[in-house]
Structures are given as C-alpha cells and as structure tokens.
Amino acid sequence: MYIFIKEKEDEKTFIDEENIFKLLEKNKNPDKNKVRDILQKSIAKQRLEPNEVATLLNVNSKEQWDEIFEAARLLKEKVYGNRIVLFAPLYIGNECINDCEYCGFRISNKYVIRKTLNSEELKNEVKALVSKGHKRLIVVFGEHPKYSPEFIAKTIDLIYNTKLGNGEIRRVNVNAAPQTVEGYKIIKSVGIGTFQIFQETYHLPTYRKMHPKGPKSNFAWRLYGLDRAMIAGIDDVGIGALFGLYNWKFEVMGLIYHTIHLEERFGVGPHTISFPRIEPAVGTPITQIPPYQVNDEDFKKLVAVLRLSVPYTGLILTAREPVNLRREVLKLGVSQIDAGSSIGVGSYSETDPEIIKKSQFILGDTRTLDEVIYELLKENYIPSFCTACYRAGRTGEHFMEFAIPGFVKRFCTPNALFTLNEYLNDYATSKTKNLGKVIIEKELEKIPEPQKSAIFEGIKKIDIGERDVRF
Ligand code: SAM
Ligand code: SF4
C-alpha cells in the first residue's frame, strides 16, 4: 500500500514495462484448451489475471478469435442484458497549455480558434442538449489555469441548474486534467458522476515523446491522478488509453494493471474504461497516420479482451468510431455510447462555419440522438438515460449490476424503461416513438408479476405527465 502519492518521473510505478513485454512474449501461440479455460473463468464473471489477458491477446487463429468474440457477447448478455446507456460530450473550453502531439487543442496548434463558453453560452449549449432529450453529459476541458477546480465546479453547478420544459441534465461526468486532492474535493462538492482521466499511453518512452511540454509531460502525476481522486472521496473514476500511440496489446495490459492497482489500493476498480482511437484533427499531422494505427479487426479484438478481462467494468464506445463499426462493437460488451454528439466548443447551440477549428478532432458517427435511438430499438436494445443509482447514492452502477444478484432486474431494466418512455413522450420523432412503445410492451411481457405491474404503473405515471420516475 502506498502511503504517499507518487508523482516523480523516476520512481517505479505500477506499470512494469519489462514484465508486460515478458508476459506478452511468454504467452505466444497459446494452446486452444488454455484459451477455453480462461474464457470459462471469465464467463463465470471473474476478473482475469495479467497472464491470462496476455494469453488472450496472443491468440492468432481466426477460429479462436471467434470463440473469444462469442464469449464476450455471452458475458455482455449475462451481466448487462440489452440496455445501452446514452450520453453526450459537452466541450467547455479548448484553451490548453500542453502540447500533446495528437490533439487539436495543443498549445502549438495555430489553426485552432480558442474559445471558452461564458455562462450564457453554456446555458444555451445545455438547453440545446436537453431539448434533444439528453440527461447525461460528460464535460470536457483543455488544461489551462482558467479551468481551475472552482471554474469546473461552477460550470457543473450551472449545468444542473439549467432546466428546459420537462428536461434537465441529471448526471455530469468530467474529463479534465488531473487535479490535486484539494481540487478534486472542490469538484466533488457540486455532485459529479465519473471523473475520467485517460493515460493516453502506458508506455513511458512513447508518453514522453507525445507530451513534450506542460504539466501533462509528467507521466506519474497523471498515472496516479485517479488515486488522488479516490483519496478525495470520488470513488467513481474512469480510465482509458488513446489507441494508436503505441502497441495495442501493451495498452490493454496497461489498462488491466491500472484496474488491479485501483482495486488493490482502494478496494474498487475503475467504473469505466474508454478506448478511443486517434481521429484526424485540424493542424495535427500525426493524426493522419498514427504511429501504431489500430485497424478495425484489432479494435474489435481489444474490446472483446477488455470485456472478458474486467467483467464488472463499464465499457464506453465513443462517436469517434464510424457507424458500421459501432454496430458491431456494441455487441461485444459495450455498456455506454454517446449519441448526437458535437465536439466543437459551442457547437450544439450555434451553427458556425468555422466550428471545425474549435473542435478537438473529427467524429466518425454524426447521426442524431433520435436516429441512434431508433436504430438501437430496431436491434432490440433498450436505450437508457438512467441516472437513478447516482442520485440514490448507489455509486458504481456497473459494479452493482454485476455484483448484486437481481440488481439489473430490480433497478436497471425498470429505470431504463422509464427513461426511455420519458424520451419517447417528450422528444422522439413519431417513427421512434411508435417503435419504442412496442419495445417497452415487449420488455414488460418478459417480466414476472408483481414487478411487471409495478413497472407498468411507473410507465403510466409518465404517460400522464409525471417525470423522473425511478426505482
Ligand atoms: N485536457 C484533458 C486531458 O488531456 O486529460 C481532458 C480533455 S482531452 C480533450 C480528452 C481526451 O481526448 C484525451 O485524454 C485524449 O485521449 C483524447 N484525444 C485527444 N486527441 C484526440 C484525437 N486526435 N483523436 C481522438 N481522441 C483524442
Ligand atoms: Fe490539452 Fe488534453 Fe488536448 Fe492534451 S489532450 S492538448 S491536455 S486538451
């Protein structure tokens, strides 16, 4: 157990590069039966050990990969069912003092127009999002002295207090620079969902190359950034790696070691894992051909291995990815996606021909929220805007879904249906509304009494105008 916060570059961290390489080397060409045993363990909902993860990553026959994909699908159905949680990113400001080689917001990028939303603009953005039906946001900031913990807290407070008609934002997650313990406490005080920090790459030499200047050049300060969040009392944290900077298998191992570190130190792992791939960004040459570009096939593999390795952690798939790939990857164990996203500062409420120059990168999926919901319904998913756990003080929703027998049936499915019904009544196009109502009925038929009647009551309440019905 660490009694101090490691933040100096030369100290040993929980990422042991040599050992990761050794594990990846040692488990080359794994035997079929060994792989099957690991898949069995995973389907029994146990977290895999690094050695086992390295074994899965080293599979090289198509037949064995098909077994891995099948196991990931099975595990997703078994643990999470057919719900998909929806959210939207909200970019607050793109000013930044770091120089991350892959990011459109980096300080040396002369092609980006710098912008931070003022209160009026922020309210307009929130209203635009609420008017589409959003309930869950992730707010995104560059790293800049302007974006102090007080500023972040004030921003979140204003978001919660901006209402429109029947709508409001009920959960705000945060993706911002790593903070001090004191800073996290200030942010926590206004009520946040998950605090996300992506390590970008767990490979130190690559990290140094990609982050030449600014506070982000300190690998260990970032690596232990979520430890400080936990110490400050934020027990809902999200980790991630930016795929394309270094070897994808190494990064998956890094994510697993990060998970194990948090589990061992705080008794709880990350709430979510994100696995963005580098997308093209204005004035950012490295994004045209990333050094370790991950192709679609390998992307699917990494998602499946993550699903199987950490069965109780939510997986987030963003709109960086193109529509077709999103459809496929969804089945492999993703639990949250963003939809109707726009990633320019001010881009939900304004139409600005220059918006690309205020955006961090270019999105692969530009469908509207309603289009995404319609398609999810057609594929028999239940789109969910549920925020019930967070608001009832039940933190770590994904963990509870996994760990508490009957939790999904008692809470998640009903709350998903309630929030879907709210969306259908308040925001959906008639095509989506008609299909959604049929899906709600179908789902209700699957639920035994007396629960079915209780949920039916909730649905009826929403139909006659009550809002924010939840278990
Ligand atoms: N500035 C903060 C930071 O760097 O942690 C938080 C916001 S940053 C805009 C959010 C994430 O965007 C980064 O952690 C990185 O993984 C991702 N990102 C940066 N450039 C990207 C690109 N070109 N394509 C895809 N994702 C990118
Ligand atoms: Fe700044 Fe974050 Fe972009 Fe790096 S990734 S340049 S810290 S906004």
Side-chain angles (χ1 to χ4, degrees):
M1 187 70 80
Y2 303 88
I3 48 165
F4 60 95
I5 312 295
K6 297 192 171 196
E7 56 194 51
K8 294 200 194 88
E9 282 282 1
D10 53 357
E11 278 181 277
K12 225 171 137 54
T13 69
F14 57 84
I15 297 297
D16 181 346
E17 242 168 72
E18 230 174 89
N19 190 39
I20 294 181
F21 286 127
K22 234 194 317 195
L23 286 180
L24 286 171
E25 190 54 42
K26 194 180 92 184
N27 289 294
K28 282 225 158 116
N29 299 315
D31 169 74
K32 245 189 211 168
N33 291 328
K34 188 174 169 196
V35 170
R36 283 191 185 143
D37 286 347
I38 296 172
L39 296 181
Q40 282 311 316
K41 177 176 173 186
S42 178
I43 289 168
K45 303 204 291 185
Q46 288 180 53
R47 198 223 338 108
L48 300 183
E49 293 304 325
N51 201 34
E52 295 164 328
V53 179
T55 307
L56 294 186
L57 289 169
N58 268 313
V59 159
N60 44 28
S61 84
K62 179 175 176 320
E63 191 196 338
Q64 275 180 296
W65 272 113
D66 285 343
E67 284 185 33
I68 293 180
F69 290 143
E70 202 36 52
R73 282 185 206 111
L74 198 73
L75 184 65
K76 167 172 161 83
E77 276 172 32
K78 199 166 148 181
V79 177
Y80 296 106
N82 56 350
R83 287 162 304 113
I84 296 286
V85 170
L86 294 166
F87 69 95
L90 173 56
Y91 279 67
I92 307 298
N94 64 10
E95 294 175 69
C96 194
I97 53 171
N98 289 314
D99 210 14
C100 314
E101 297 280 354
Y102 45 81
C103 180
F105 294 168
R106 70 189 189 289
I107 190 167
S108 63
N109 191 359
K110 301 282 175 280
Y111 297 94
V112 142
I113 302 171
R114 304 291 163 175
K115 168 95 192 139
T116 299
L117 299 176
N118 64 32
S119 302
E120 220 35 55
E121 289 164 336
L122 175 62
K123 280 194 228 161
N124 289 339
E125 287 288 274
V126 175
K127 283 181 189 162
L129 282 158
V130 168
S131 74
K132 294 283 188 282
H134 281 291
K135 300 281 185 282
R136 301 172 62 116
L137 298 185
I138 178 139
V139 284
V140 186
F141 300 80
E143 180 161 358
H144 194 276
K146 271 190 188 173
Y147 311 144
S148 63
E150 290 79 7
F151 178 83
I152 294 176
K154 206 178 105 209
T155 301
I156 296 166
D157 208 37
L158 189 56
I159 293 173
Y160 283 133
N161 285 308
T162 304
K163 318 262 175 193
L164 182 72
N166 281 336
E168 74 215 324
I169 297 300
R170 297 177 185 156
R171 175 175 171 128
V172 180
N173 299 331
V174 183
N175 188 322
Q179 308 289 322
T180 60
V181 173
E182 282 316 306
Y184 284 118
K185 284 186 183 162
I186 293 168
I187 297 170
K188 179 181 156 55
S189 71
V190 290
I192 62 162
T194 310
F195 198 102
Q196 281 187 350
I197 300 175
F198 304 159
Q199 187 59 26
E200 321 299 9
T201 173
Y202 288 92
H203 185 244
L204 181 60
T206 306
Y207 188 93
R208 288 199 173 126
K209 238 188 291 166
M210 292 296 151
H211 307 98
K213 279 205 276 267
K216 196 162 165 180
S217 59
N218 187 333
F219 178 81
W221 175 255
R222 192 168 182 89
L223 192 63
Y224 289 88
L226 293 171
D227 288 52
R228 294 190 298 281
M230 290 267 199
I231 291 167
I234 299 176
D235 51 5
D236 197 331
V237 300
I239 63 172
L242 181 60
F243 282 87
L245 297 176
Y246 190 60
N247 179 296
W248 65 272
K249 296 182 186 179
F250 185 96
E251 304 296 15
V252 170
M253 295 297 288
L255 290 165
I256 300 305
Y257 274 109
H258 201 163
T259 301
I260 294 173
H261 164 76
L262 292 172
E263 273 177 17
E264 284 178 350
R265 188 169 183 199
F266 298 102
V268 44
H271 180 54
T272 54
I273 296 184
S274 301
F275 33 85
R277 285 193 295 185
I278 296 179
E279 297 300 322
V282 164
T284 310
I286 206 181
T287 63
Q288 298 305 320
I289 309 172
Y292 284 79
Q293 195 156 27
V294 178
N295 64 33
D296 291 356
E297 211 38 48
D298 288 345
F299 187 68
K300 281 189 265 173
K301 290 176 182 171
L302 77 86
V303 178
V305 172
L306 281 172
R307 172 67 304 140
L308 292 162
S309 304
V310 281
Y312 44 81
T313 306
L315 295 185
I316 301 181
L317 175 70
T318 70
R320 291 173 175 87
E321 302 302 337
V323 178
N324 281 342
L325 186 65
R326 277 189 119 192
R327 279 188 193 121
E328 270 190 74
V329 172
L330 215 54
K331 300 184 187 125
L332 297 174
V334 167
S335 41
Q336 294 189 28
I337 61 171
D338 57 331
S341 300
S342 192
I343 57 167
V345 182
S347 58
Y348 289 109
S349 51
E350 291 171 21
T351 24
D352 174 354
E354 297 256 86
I355 199 67
I356 195 77
K357 294 191 187 159
K358 293 179 193 158
S359 299
Q360 191 192 13
F361 48 80
I362 297 160
L363 288 179
D365 182 353
T366 53
R367 290 173 297 170
T368 63
L369 176 62
D370 197 73
E371 283 166 342
V372 172
I373 290 186
Y374 181 75
E375 191 176 312
L376 288 172
L377 291 166
K378 250 183 29 195
E379 300 276 317
N380 280 314
Y381 288 106
I382 315 175
S384 172
F385 293 94
C386 178
T387 54
C389 278
Y390 157 67
R391 285 151 78 231
R394 301 186 294 251
T395 49
E397 55 197 359
H398 293 302
F399 183 76
M400 282 184 292
E401 288 163 25
F402 164 84
I404 302 173
F407 192 90
V408 170
K409 285 202 187 91
R410 249 175 73 212
F411 295 106
C412 310
T413 307
N415 289 331
L417 294 176
F418 294 154
T419 54
L420 172 61
N421 198 39
E422 264 190 64
Y423 174 81
L424 298 176
N425 289 347
D426 291 343
Y427 308 103
T429 56
S430 56
K431 183 171 128 181
T432 304
K433 184 168 178 173
N434 294 338
L435 180 58
K437 294 279 178 179
V438 173
I439 296 286
I440 290 178
E441 272 188 33
K442 261 205 218 161
E443 287 296 324
L444 275 173
E445 273 162 31
K446 293 187 209 161
I447 300 167
E449 291 294 358
Q451 226 211 343
K452 182 176 168 174
S453 296
I455 302 173
F456 187 68
E457 278 308 303
I459 297 281
K460 265 198 330 207
K461 279 186 194 163
I462 295 164
D463 285 341
I464 58 170
E466 199 173 315
R467 289 292 169 268
D468 204 10
V469 173
R470 63 194 140 100
F471 285 169

